[in-house]
Amino acid sequence: TIKGTGTSDKGILVDGDCVLNNVEITNFKITEGTYPAPLYVKGNVTMNGGKISNNYNSLPGGGAYITSGGSLTIDGTDITGNTSDQNGGGVYVATGGTFDITSGSITGNKAVNGGGVYVTNGGNFSVEDEVYVTDNTASGDGNQITRE
């Protein structure tokens, strides 16, 4: 488990190839941006199992932010209970970023737009197999998934 302090945290920057097996990223509170998300993906990250849960970000990407050129592939991972004061309560995918989910769930996340996932114009998002995207909320557009 990688746990934030619950106060003004910096996120986890992954800038390279990384495999995370059964890792939980939880309790981060991001209020400014050195690494502006609990999981900030600039490289190629594969996450098998585990959770990204109960994080808060005043910036986009309550649980994870995928930059241009970054990719996040998850299999059997739960993204739940994260909040962004902007877009992408669970995951924010920037232009040129890629988010692939094979199995798992994106549930109970909150944001202005894209309560579960927010994909910018030019961002890539694919879903395969058994994926549950439910019970996310947005005060603007797209409770579950928003694509520009």
Side-chain angles (χ1 to χ4, degrees), residues 2-145:
I2 303 171
K3 192 172 188 178
T5 63
T7 58
S8 294
D9 295 311
K10 293 182 180 177
I12 302 162
L13 167 66
V14 181
D15 188 6
D17 295 338
C18 181
V19 176
L20 303 171
N21 292 316
N22 298 311
V23 171
E24 184 173 353
I25 299 168
T26 188
N27 202 43
F28 280 83
K29 182 179 180 183
I30 310 293
T31 56
E32 55 187 68
T34 302
Y35 304 121
L39 178 61
Y40 189 70
V41 179
K42 290 179 77 174
N44 300 305
V45 177
T46 300
M47 194 167 178
N48 300 306
K51 291 182 182 179
I52 300 173
S53 64
N54 302 317
N55 298 292
Y56 164 80
N57 194 351
S58 64
L59 305 165
Y65 184 109
I66 305 164
T67 67
S68 178
S71 70
L72 175 61
T73 302
I74 67 172
D75 186 4
T77 304
D78 296 322
I79 300 173
T80 184
N82 302 290
T83 300
S84 169
D85 284 347
Q86 296 182 30
N87 298 326
V91 178
Y92 181 93
V93 185
T95 300
T98 301
F99 179 40
D100 298 315
I101 180 169
T102 303
S103 67
S105 65
I106 302 172
T107 60
N109 301 288
K110 299 176 184 176
V112 173
N113 297 301
V117 179
Y118 186 90
V119 184
T120 62
N121 189 15
N124 302 295
F125 175 54
S126 68
V127 176
E128 300 176 28
D129 210 11
E130 290 188 33
V131 177
Y132 300 93
V133 183
T134 61
D135 300 323
N136 300 290
T137 57
S139 59
D141 294 326
N143 286 332
Q144 309 312 323
I145 299 167

